[in-house]
Amino acid sequence: MFGPFVNDTEDPKKFAVWEPKVKVYREALAAGIKDEYKLPQELIPKDFDVGVDVTGIPAKVLTESELAITESSGCDLVVKIAAGELSAVEVFKAFAKRATIAHQLTNCAMQIFVDEGLMRAKELDAYYAKTGKTVGPLHGLPVSLKEHYNYKGKITHSGYVGYIDNVTENWSVAVEVLKEAGAVFYIRTTEPQSLMHLCSYNNITGACRNPWNTSLTPGGSSSGEGALAAMKGSVFGLGSDIGGSIRCPAAFCGVWGLRPTQKRLSMHNVTSCCGSKVQESVACVLGPLARSAEDLDLFMKASIVSEPWKKDACIIPLPWRTESVPSPKELTIAVCYDDGVVKPTAPIIRALKHAVSKLEASGVKVVEWKPIAVQKLVETCSAMYNADGNSSQKLALAASGEPLAPLTHVALSFGCGDDGVSVEKNQELNGIRDQGRQDYLSAMDAQGIDYILCPTYVSVAAKPDVIKYWGYTNLWNILDYPSVIFPTGLKVNPDLDVVDKSYKPRNEYEAYEHFLYTDPKDFINAPINLQLTGRRYFEEKLIKASQVIGEIIAQK
Amino acid sequence: MFGPFVNDTEDPKKFAVWEPKVKVYREALAAGIKDEYKLPQELIPKDFDVGVDVTGIPAKVLTESELAITESSGCDLVVKIAAGELSAVEVFKAFAKRATIAHQLTNCAMQIFVDEGLMRAKELDAYYAKTGKTVGPLHGLPVSLKEHYNYKGKITHSGYVGYIDNVTENWSVAVEVLKEAGAVFYIRTTEPQSLMHLCSYNNITGACRNPWNTSLTPGGSSSGEGALAAMKGSVFGLGSDIGGSIRCPAAFCGVWGLRPTQKRLSMHNVTSCCGSKVQESVACVLGPLARSAEDLDLFMKASIVSEPWKKDACIIPLPWRTESVPSPKELTIAVCYDDGVVKPTAPIIRALKHAVSKLEASGVKVVEWKPIAVQKLVETCSAMYNADGNSSQKLALAASGEPLAPLTHVALSFGCGDDGVSVEKNQELNGIRDQGRQDYLSAMDAQGIDYILCPTYVSVAAKPDVIKYWGYTNLWNILDYPSVIFPTGLKVNPDLDVVDKSYKPRNEYEAYEHFLYTDPKDFINAPINLQLTGRRYFEEKLIKASQVIGEIIAQK
């Protein structure tokens, strides 16, 4: 199930030298909380570990206008700003305030720099006042960024203490594209050590909390983006996903997320342990976390209309294609209740059944999906992550000698762990991957379906630092089929989502993972999201399909 | 310069068991030459090694109508067939005759199956007679196929004796696409052992000859396609290219060739030593060899309009985009006279200067290209070929114990040879590759150019079994920039193309490769082609630019 792994990078003496730098970094983060945005003490829960829902707190401190702005979609806001009904500064201030509140409740930020954002919003307003035009399709939208995207002139550490001195001299191409489209930046969000947890802990800023139930994880590795989106602290944000890192936090935090097909958006100038090395067997992909299908579309269209292939030679010049929202009767989708490796828990099964019943009632044709070679593909994917025998990860960890988080232990044990594989074996794994891509294409054609509805994870938001099985998400990473995560409107209800204690696990993965959901009461209020997967490179159609499917399922 | 390599696959005893199978295969090839297409003995040169130009021989045996048909372009032929002016059978018979003649003069075929082609042509005519319609954009066009594309029900050995029993059960997707578009098949063409020579020798059918000077190689690895295209034995043919294998034979044989960007055309179901393993650091790419830019366009458009991404999950759904031929004044191109590693020989330099002078006179703006990190990129590419320590190649060779061709020795010594590399190192090589792609993009932008005009190889068609330096072609494989090869209309002229014997080589590659062109008289009549490279995924524009550039340069 897991490969060998020796914890040989921890070095307490060395780490002692680095701890003061961590302290300075944290102080800078704390200093980013402007006095006027500080929450009154009585609004901050005394004990987050008991599981508090903090999503209602912003409404207690925002003005009516701030509330209205931050509850709006990106699509609405750009129209209003472009029409002169709202200024970029007004919009910015509302989101800056709400994001700062979100951070105080969830620890979702790694850097907050409201003054810089304000300056940018003022520039945009000045440009608009002077020309009557917007600078681009995202003019005045406050956008959040996962920390590991290079930000010119700021530290980019990618969750490694050893990179805490790394002030990046360039912009990530994807960030630059958003900036040129008119986005306003003010917050960079948290991610776990090594970026390889579906969870959030790192040694720099600690753990992030799930806003719906603060005893649970927001998921990861785009942890802060998930929490911030649920708190409505940005219009949308940039995540990244090599095993579920956009989709897991989107699902756990009850928001929308898209993992596009590789090579549509640029990952140029992103800091990771790989440095200039390129692991391409399973590619890390950039994508948005947002609050609606329409905003996923807005993000993608704005990113691709800029023709990123002119800036990054790895990007495919596939324009953003305009698609209309399909009518339910045009859709045939397959539903996957169980991947054959780890059976989903009660709330997920309930949501799937609920979804099918709603979809069928709306005229969508639903067929059952038979999982294909899931365990083989998921294990192949795991072996690809560590094909280099953890050499890159260990170098990054050893730089500071920082302690390993529990889930870093797990991640470094994936696949063949420290043993890695030979190039010949890696080429075999690539062959399994490509055959999988082909088999899934054939199966979709055979069933006449364009979309597969499935869980995002075995269960809802988990307790911190326990998730080991990534199969419901990283299956689509190895296959490189794009997926949208969307809320069903359902939440965990202990009366309905009871545990079948007599269930006999079929394998070791299931014996561990299925039973992480033991006492439903621990998961109260956790959102139940689902995943819709489409064909490679057809994000446009996938988003439109997810929009109608999401609407049908979430109907009261 | 080259890595270690142990010749441990040859096994004469084992090979003795395989030799009778080779004999049977050759007999089948000989039997494919229909009596009515047999050349009279007096037209077959007594000694090919003295260097005969055989390109004029078909005209001596073809009827006027056969000659007119086979001299026509594919674009003209499809129009005439669709208009009912020519039947598929008429067209087929002319090409079948000419191809069979070509084979007798150059040994370009591995399988000839004229009766099957005729049956298909008859079916197409019957369909047309019944419906008044064509089956697709290539209705009735005789198309040749490099041997390693799977052909349902036929042996596909990919140049390895050990695969000579391999009757493929499926079609290559790319071949199926052409078939559905209306192409007629009748000949599969030769390739070297291991597919990794820019030359032609294999142990099954021996060497192929260059039709312009039979003492020279047609190049490789799409050797037979090069020779056949020069002999006009098909309208166009399918080659493949991982280091120059379309472009080198196109250049040596004086025809057109295109190596497209990867993932636009399907390489699914192609036989190679890799089997189900996937080496993706430098991808093997499919493309046409043809006799004009218009026919390259026809091939690509017909292949892509079929939406091959519906059949092969690895293909990008980038439609074929209609582009117009640019006017000379719209073009700025860079010219590369020397890659800084191996200086081209006199005929190549003459052709480049001739080209620049013609282009400038026509209003094309020409700037000089400064080569970037060529040796590093070329050596990185070489290391990628053998990253697995030759394990796949050796398994395929050991299957029969066949003797190693001299250039297989060279190919197995590329990069790190038998040592191969680790996955970590392979990821480093990928990083060098991606940085190169980026650096070339930036340099093209900085100079305001979309195209680079450069040699295809250090020299013109070489003597058999000597080429070791692939840098002028495989630079573009590692960078994955598309290239078109086109004729300049020039040929080697010993009076003009003299050797500078005082030239001091700058390195070992040059000391060897530059001086393979020693006595210009040996290369009499060898065509001088050039290479035009464009931006990734913009084959449409590249072909149109090559059309106008090719016309300007070849003007008398």
Side-chain angles (χ1 to χ4, degrees), chain B residues 343-362:
Chain B
K343 184 185 156 105
T345 58
I348 302 295
I349 299 287
R350 176 166 64 92
L352 285 165
K353 288 183 176 165
H354 165 88
V356 169
S357 131
K358 289 271 193 184
L359 290 168
E360 286 182 334
S362 297

Side-chain angles (χ1 to χ4, degrees), chain A residues 47-314:
Chain A
D47 183 0
F48 287 112
D49 293 345
V50 298
V52 187
D53 177 356
V54 298
T55 59
I57 296 175
K60 298 184 182 166
V61 287
L62 295 177
T63 65
E64 203 171 310
S65 138
E66 288 165 348
L67 204 57
I69 287 170
T70 53
E71 300 283 329
S72 300
S73 73
C75 291
D76 283 348
L77 290 172
V78 283
V79 170
K80 286 185 179 156
I81 296 171
E85 292 169 33
L86 283 172
S87 72
V89 166
E90 264 179 292
V91 170
F92 175 71
K93 282 185 171 170
F95 276 100
K97 183 170 176 184
R98 192 155 181 161
T100 312
I101 293 165
H103 172 62
Q104 293 170 76
L105 295 167
T106 65
N107 195 33
C108 61
M110 282 189 143
Q111 291 180 331
I112 303 176
F113 39 98
V114 167
D115 291 341
E116 292 174 41
L118 186 60
M119 198 182 302
R120 169 73 170 148
K122 284 178 180 172
E123 281 168 16
L124 291 168
D125 281 341
Y127 178 91
Y128 181 80
K130 193 173 159 192
T131 66
K133 289 182 194 161
T134 59
V135 302
L138 304 181
H139 186 104
L141 286 197
V143 172
S144 49
L145 307 168
K146 188 176 180 180
E147 195 274 347
H148 77 132
Y149 290 101
N150 292 7
Y151 198 108
K152 192 173 177 178
K154 293 193 189 295
I155 293 163
T156 306
H157 53 61
S158 196
Y160 297 100
V161 173
Y163 289 2
I164 209 165
D165 292 331
N166 177 47
V167 176
T168 37
E169 299 292 325
N170 55 28
W171 291 101
S172 278
V173 168
V175 173
E176 205 169 17
V177 160
L178 295 173
K179 190 159 63 88
E180 289 169 2
V184 180
F185 306 136
Y186 55 109
I187 185 168
R188 297 171 81 198
T189 60
T190 189
E191 66 221 352
Q193 182 185 51
S194 87
L195 294 177
M196 293 295 283
H197 313 179
L198 294 185
C199 206
S200 75
Y201 184 80
N202 66 69
N203 286 321
I204 301 172
T205 57
C208 180
R209 290 178 286 271
N210 190 310
W212 299 99
N213 177 332
T214 52
S215 73
L216 302 175
T217 179
S221 68
S222 310
S223 315
E225 287 302 328
L228 190 66
M231 294 296 289
K232 305 179 180 170
S234 69
V235 168
F236 43 62
L238 244 72
S240 59
D241 191 318
I242 196 173
S245 286
I246 289 170
R247 292 163 292 156
C248 168
F252 287 8
C253 296
V255 299
W256 291 71
L258 167 69
R259 192 209 80 95
T261 317
Q262 58 176 273
K263 311 287 184 209
R264 292 203 74 178
L265 301 180
S266 172
M267 286 297 283
H268 195 59
N269 295 337
V270 178
T271 296
S272 82
C273 66
C274 287
S276 62
K277 294 196 282 287
V278 175
Q279 182 283 98
E280 63 186 340
S281 291
V282 50
C284 186
V285 172
L286 182 149
L289 289 93
R291 283 183 270 140
S292 66
E294 291 89 332
D295 279 358
L296 295 180
D297 193 87
L298 175 64
F299 173 97
M300 290 298 289
K301 188 174 175 182
S303 294
I304 291 180
V305 84
S306 74
E307 305 188 323
W309 48 87
K310 293 187 173 169
K311 296 188 174 187
D312 178 350
C314 291

Side-chain angles (χ1 to χ4, degrees), chain B residues 269-393:
Chain B
N269 296 336
V270 178
T271 295
S272 82
C273 66
C274 286
S276 62
K277 292 196 282 288
V278 175
Q279 181 283 97
E280 64 186 338
S281 292
V282 50
C284 186
V285 172
L286 181 148
L289 288 92
R291 282 183 273 139
S292 65
E294 292 89 333
D295 279 0
L296 295 180
D297 193 88
L298 175 64
F299 173 98
M300 289 298 288
K301 188 174 175 180
S303 294
I304 291 180
V305 83
S306 75
E307 305 188 323
W309 48 88
K310 291 186 173 169
K311 294 189 175 183
D312 178 350
C314 290
I315 299 305
I316 299 163
L318 191 59
W320 189 251
R321 295 155 292 185
T322 303
E323 295 287 346
S324 51
V325 179
S327 85
K329 288 191 176 48
E330 291 175 76
L331 292 170
T332 303
I333 70 164
V335 60
C336 171
Y337 289 101
D338 182 343
D339 72 355
V341 184
V342 183
K343 184 185 156 105
T345 58
I348 302 295
I349 299 287
R350 176 166 64 92
L352 285 165
K353 288 183 176 165
H354 165 88
V356 169
S357 131
K358 289 271 193 184
L359 290 168
E360 286 182 334
S362 297
V364 174
K365 190 175 169 203
V366 182
V367 297
E368 193 163 333
W369 179 253
K370 287 191 187 62
I372 305 166
V374 175
Q375 187 168 338
K376 185 178 181 182
L377 287 164
V378 165
E379 289 179 346
T380 299
C381 189
S382 292
M384 288 168 166
Y385 295 142
N386 297 347
D388 70 344
N390 294 323
S391 59
S392 294
Q393 285 285 12

